[in-house]
Amino acid sequence: MSKIYETVIGLEVHVELATKTKIFCGCSTAFGGAPNTHTCPVCTGMPGSLPVLNRQVVEYAMAVGIATNCSITQYCKFDRKNYFYPDNPQNYQISQLYLPICRNGGVEIETAAGKKIIGIHEIHMEEDAGKLVHDEWEDVSIVDYNRSGVPLIEIVSEPDMRSAEEVIAYLEKLRMIIQYLGASDCKLNEGSMRADVNLSVREAGAKKFGTRTEMKNLNSFKAIARAIEGERARQIELLEAGRKVVQETRRWDDNKESSHAMRSKEDAQDYRYFPEPDLVPIVISDEWIAKVKANQPELRTEKLERYQKEFDLPKYDAEIITGHKKFADLFEAATELCGKPKKVSNWIMVETMRLLKENNMDPEDIRFSPVNLAKLINLADSGSITNTVAKEVFELIFKDDIDPEKYVEEKILKPSGMMNTGFESTDKLAVGYQDIYDNAWTLYPGVGYSATGLISNVPDLLKWVDALCTNKLVSEETFKEMTTPYKDNYGYGFVVSEESNAVSHTGKIDKYNAALVFTKDGNQIYIALSNYSNSSPIALFNNIQKTLAPFYG
């Protein structure tokens, strides 16, 4: 009988803080600058340079500690961690070993198995290292020191997690808390949130932990989940084969879905920690802690409850909206402007989330303003545009943050007669029937009767054209094609299938039962039915009327 194994997991989560300048100097922390342009003598480790602590780093660390139920170490200090590596220009890192700023906290997670508290051993402040870029083509490595000195907090959990599901729930909870605090954007793809996984397995019911390994190079939740499952299986396979798990650091290759050893415990460096001589201890007063607490924003739990009470949102909607700070900020701002919370939540939950998925974007990547979302909702709610048109306009808002009122005014709701259709109020209107086979034209008696039963004169026709364009049954470009003289048996217009009552306007008329064609020759506008079948003209006209009538406003 095979043994049952339990997985034991602890995490070290590194989070880049959202300060504008680095932890010990005034260099920019902006992501994406040209290599080695956000540097100075301090963050490149030049002799004689001295660090000066960024106060905002301390306050962000305290805020995260308070939000994760940690106790604040009111007398804390920095330590020097000595190691030699090309991305570490000082040959040491300023960190906290002995007296970290936050200790003994925890957050509650919820999975399919229920709720659980994940303990936080400590949170400490430190500086980030530079970044090595490996050029396999040239077989060289180059270094960018822009990241050197960017402020980090490292959140060290207790070994309380037992599955990949719990790990992801814990990481999502941390990310949400930190984003709501404004302490970091926590973008895994930009490296502002990174996780190292410490994992061991043991027989179910055993008290003693197994030998753990540490996995690095994990920059997405999916990669973390796959790495956990892969390492768990690898360790169990070793134990089942009667072999020992070696304590080592491993690098996960997500493309190959496997890991390889980087260094073992025997190869581990002695970092020779000692108190940082260039920085004085940090003394945190009760008043300072109280001030940080007072400035804590409303977190997800409070928002979730408030949205259901204040805005009467269903619990499901409130959970989706509060699940990302960007969604919550967008919802509140747009709701304040238009006063329609349910409709704002619908636009976020349906169209916004659809476009995010289609464009492989995260909520943090949203760039359109709540002002334009509120304007669009008001346009659709007032009946100025249909929901179909609103969705098309929203795609432009999502992409380019256009002003929907201006766009609708200029592109969709122009006054009748100003749409570049080529039709003028002084034109004459003729409604007729044209056989597609012999091109014979028959004029129907009386201008008062038309193919749609809705058009009695040219001004009425122009109004009808506007209505069609508003409902996106036709574009201005299509109408330009329609207004050329009708010289052959193929024109542009509304194609109507007698069997399905379908209507199309996407191109040349071909292989359909009938087509309603708008053409102009001189000052004469022709509305012609081109017959492709043996049906009577009157029957086909009635069919067209039934198909197009709902779109005339």
Side-chain angles (χ1 to χ4, degrees):
M1 182 177 177
S2 61
K3 297 176 181 178
I4 298 175
Y5 291 92
E6 180 184 49
T7 310
V8 179
I9 306 167
L11 295 184
E12 299 169 10
V13 180
H14 296 83
V15 177
E16 289 184 356
L17 298 177
T19 57
K20 295 186 180 300
T21 57
K22 294 184 180 181
I23 186 169
F24 298 124
C25 67
C27 293
S28 171
T29 59
F31 178 81
N36 298 307
T37 55
H38 300 166
T39 58
C40 73
V42 174
C43 56
T44 54
M46 295 298 168
S49 60
L50 293 173
V52 177
L53 178 60
N54 185 333
R55 181 185 179 93
Q56 184 62 60
V57 173
V58 181
E59 295 198 346
Y60 276 149
M62 291 167 60
V64 174
I66 292 167
T68 54
N69 306 299
C70 292
S71 59
I72 304 300
T73 307
Q74 293 186 256
Y75 180 86
C76 63
K77 60 187 182 66
F78 286 97
D79 303 292
R80 186 173 291 191
K81 177 182 179 181
N82 297 275
Y83 70 94
F84 302 91
Y85 205 67
D87 63 5
N88 181 25
Q90 303 166 139
N91 293 326
Y92 61 85
Q93 179 190 35
I94 300 177
S95 182
Q96 291 186 301
L97 178 65
Y98 301 111
L99 292 172
I101 188 167
C102 307
R103 290 182 286 194
N104 304 323
V107 295
E108 184 180 73
I109 64 168
E110 186 171 4
T111 64
K115 295 182 179 180
K116 181 178 181 178
I117 299 293
I118 304 298
I120 292 176
H121 179 72
E122 68 176 56
I123 300 175
H124 61 259
M125 302 175 288
E126 62 186 19
E127 59 182 338
D128 208 348
K131 181 180 180 181
L132 285 175
V133 180
H134 305 290
D135 189 332
E136 295 182 2
W137 183 261
E138 296 289 341
D139 194 28
V140 297
S141 294
I142 52 180
V143 64
D144 179 8
Y145 288 121
N146 281 352
R147 198 174 67 181
S148 178
V150 168
L152 293 177
I153 54 172
E154 182 174 342
I155 305 169
V156 182
S157 81
E158 300 289 357
D160 292 341
M161 288 160 276
R162 298 294 179 264
S163 67
E165 184 186 11
E166 289 186 357
V167 167
I168 300 307
Y170 170 74
L171 288 171
E172 287 178 340
K173 187 66 174 282
L174 280 185
R175 181 173 67 171
M176 192 182 307
I177 289 171
I178 295 167
Q179 286 178 337
Y180 268 100
L181 291 170
S184 175
D185 56 21
C186 293
K187 291 184 178 180
L188 278 78
N189 61 323
E190 293 183 3
S192 57
M193 184 178 187
R194 311 188 291 273
D196 297 340
V197 177
N198 293 278
L199 183 148
S200 66
V201 296
R202 63 184 178 185
E203 287 189 45
K207 299 297 182 182
K208 185 179 179 181
F209 289 147
T211 303
R212 67 178 176 86
T213 60
E214 181 181 21
M215 284 183 294
K216 293 184 176 292
N217 194 32
L218 302 171
N219 58 2
S220 76
F221 288 169
K222 290 182 180 179
I224 290 168
R226 286 191 288 264
I228 289 170
E229 295 301 329
E231 180 61 13
R232 178 181 184 276
R234 188 189 73 85
Q235 291 190 20
I236 291 174
E237 185 178 350
L238 288 173
L239 295 175
E240 289 287 311
R243 299 163 63 187
K244 291 184 178 181
V245 176
V246 176
Q247 184 173 338
E248 61 188 357
T249 300
R250 302 182 66 83
R251 179 174 290 272
W252 175 256
D253 188 328
D254 202 40
N255 293 322
K256 298 178 180 178
E257 294 192 6
S258 64
S259 64
H260 61 272
M262 294 173 61
R263 57 182 178 268
S264 67
K265 181 180 179 182
E266 288 72 24
D267 298 325
Q269 302 179 41
D270 176 7
Y271 291 119
R272 297 179 292 119
Y273 280 96
F274 59 84
E276 172 55 49
D278 292 332
L279 289 167
V280 297
I282 306 167
V283 179
I284 301 173
S285 65
D286 292 339
E287 291 75 18
W288 194 3
I289 295 174
K291 181 181 177 182
V292 172
K293 282 184 177 179
N295 291 331
Q296 295 281 81
E298 184 182 42
L299 298 180
R300 196 246 181 143
T301 304
E302 293 79 30
K303 281 187 185 293
L304 183 60
E305 184 177 351
R306 180 169 66 86
Y307 284 8
Q308 294 176 75
K309 291 181 178 179
E310 182 178 338
F311 301 117
D312 199 26
L313 290 184
K315 183 180 179 182
Y316 176 79
D317 293 27
E319 287 177 340
I320 296 294
I321 297 300
T322 60
H324 293 276
K325 182 177 184 294
K326 189 70 177 183
F327 285 166
D329 291 345
L330 181 62
F331 169 79
E332 292 197 23
T335 297
E336 185 176 354
L337 291 166
C338 71
K340 302 176 177 71
K342 180 57 180 172
K343 292 189 175 179
V344 174
S345 72
N346 286 343
W347 277 97
I348 293 173
M349 292 169 56
V350 180
E351 291 304 308
T352 303
M353 292 180 69
R354 174 181 68 84
L355 291 171
L356 286 172
K357 183 177 180 180
E358 289 178 2
N359 291 278
N360 195 28
M361 295 168 60
D362 294 323
E364 294 74 31
D365 299 322
I366 291 174
R367 293 291 176 264
F368 65 85
S369 70
V371 174
N372 287 332
L373 175 58
K375 287 181 178 179
L376 180 69
I377 290 170
N378 285 334
L379 284 170
D381 204 43
S382 67
S384 299
I385 57 175
T386 65
N387 287 334
T388 301
V389 175
K391 290 177 182 178
E392 295 180 11
V393 174
F394 180 71
E395 292 194 11
L396 298 175
I397 294 174
F398 183 90
K399 180 182 177 183
D400 298 318
D401 198 25
I402 66 163
D403 183 328
E405 291 179 345
K406 188 177 295 185
Y407 179 84
V408 168
E409 177 67 25
E410 293 178 355
K411 301 293 185 181
I412 298 177
L413 296 179
K414 284 186 178 179
S416 297
M418 296 178 62
M419 187 179 278
N420 297 326
T421 60
F423 300 159
E424 304 293 342
S425 59
T426 54
D427 288 333
K428 296 179 181 179
L429 181 67
V431 178
Y433 164 72
Q434 183 177 38
D435 192 292
I436 195 67
Y437 299 108
D438 60 15
N439 207 27
W441 171 267
T442 303
L443 184 67
Y444 277 85
V447 177
Y449 177 80
S450 74
T452 65
L454 298 166
I455 303 169
S456 60
N457 51 49
V458 173
D460 199 17
L461 168 64
L462 295 173
K463 181 181 178 184
W464 190 72
V465 167
D466 274 346
L468 289 172
C469 290
T470 299
N471 288 280
K472 290 293 182 181
L473 274 181
V474 70
S475 65
E476 288 190 42
E477 290 73 18
T478 302
F479 256 100
K480 289 177 183 177
E481 294 173 331
M482 292 180 190
T483 55
T484 56
Y486 186 59
K487 295 180 179 178
D488 55 26
N489 294 337
Y490 299 93
Y492 290 87
F494 296 97
V495 181
V496 178
S497 168
E498 185 179 17
E499 286 81 9
S500 63
N501 288 342
V503 60
S504 171
H505 57 82
T506 55
K508 241 176 187 181
I509 298 162
D510 193 15
K511 296 180 182 178
Y512 288 91
N513 291 334
L516 186 64
V517 183
F518 290 72
T519 61
K520 182 179 177 183
D521 192 358
N523 68 338
Q524 183 75 55
I525 299 173
Y526 295 93
I527 304 178
L529 175 71
S530 295
N531 192 4
Y532 285 77
S533 69
N534 294 323
S535 301
S536 71
I538 295 297
L540 289 173
F541 274 137
N542 289 337
N543 189 44
I544 290 172
Q545 175 181 343
K546 182 169 61 175
T547 303
L548 298 183
F551 298 100
Y552 176 72

